[in-house]
């Protein structure tokens, strides 16, 4: 199947697609902070964010920043930093 990011109510109802294969390669780590959704894209070698409805996609980090295959992600809200693993780093 094609990759997508979806959301639903906490009881599992009202499943909606937010982002699909046109916007994603191989999405991995995912977190929400305020009104933004953040994710790592292993295939595209990017870390991006978008509004919670999938609009306004912004690439924050890419291969020009020295990452190639970002994977798991987390955020330190109090420190205002995001962290990720990179399966392959640029030399």
């Amino acid at each position: 199947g094609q990759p997508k990011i979806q959301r639903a109510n906490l009881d599992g109802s009202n499943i909606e697609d937010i982002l699909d294969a046109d916007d994603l390669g191989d999405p991995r780590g995912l977190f929400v902070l305020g009104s933004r959704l953040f994710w790592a894209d292993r295939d595209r070698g990017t870390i991006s964010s978008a509004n919670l409805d999938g609009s306004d996609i912004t690439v924050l980090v890419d291969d020009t920043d020295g990452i190639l295959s970002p994977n798991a992600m987390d955020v330190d809200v109090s420190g205002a930093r995001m962290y990720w693993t990179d399966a392959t780093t640029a030399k």
Side-chain angles (χ1 to χ4, degrees):
Q2 298 293 333
K4 55 176 108 173
I5 295 176
Q6 300 174 294
R7 68 178 171 193
N9 295 334
L10 290 177
D11 66 0
S13 65
N14 196 28
I15 297 172
E16 302 173 77
D17 292 351
I18 297 175
L19 297 164
D20 61 25
D22 292 335
D23 305 307
L24 304 167
D26 184 9
R28 295 301 175 113
L30 180 72
F31 66 88
V32 173
L33 181 60
S35 63
R36 300 287 291 179
L37 173 69
F38 295 78
W39 70 94
D41 195 317
R42 190 168 156 174
D43 282 355
R44 294 184 179 186
T46 58
I47 294 176
S48 301
S49 73
N51 291 328
L52 295 179
D53 65 359
S55 65
D56 189 29
I57 298 171
T58 303
V59 174
L60 305 171
V61 181
D62 64 18
D63 62 348
T64 64
D65 299 305
I67 68 168
L68 295 177
S69 188
N71 204 4
M73 290 187 67
D74 206 347
V75 64
D76 171 11
V77 176
S78 64
R81 292 191 178 258
M82 58 183 166
Y83 298 84
W84 64 88
T85 61
D86 189 350
T88 308
T89 55
K91 300 284 181 193

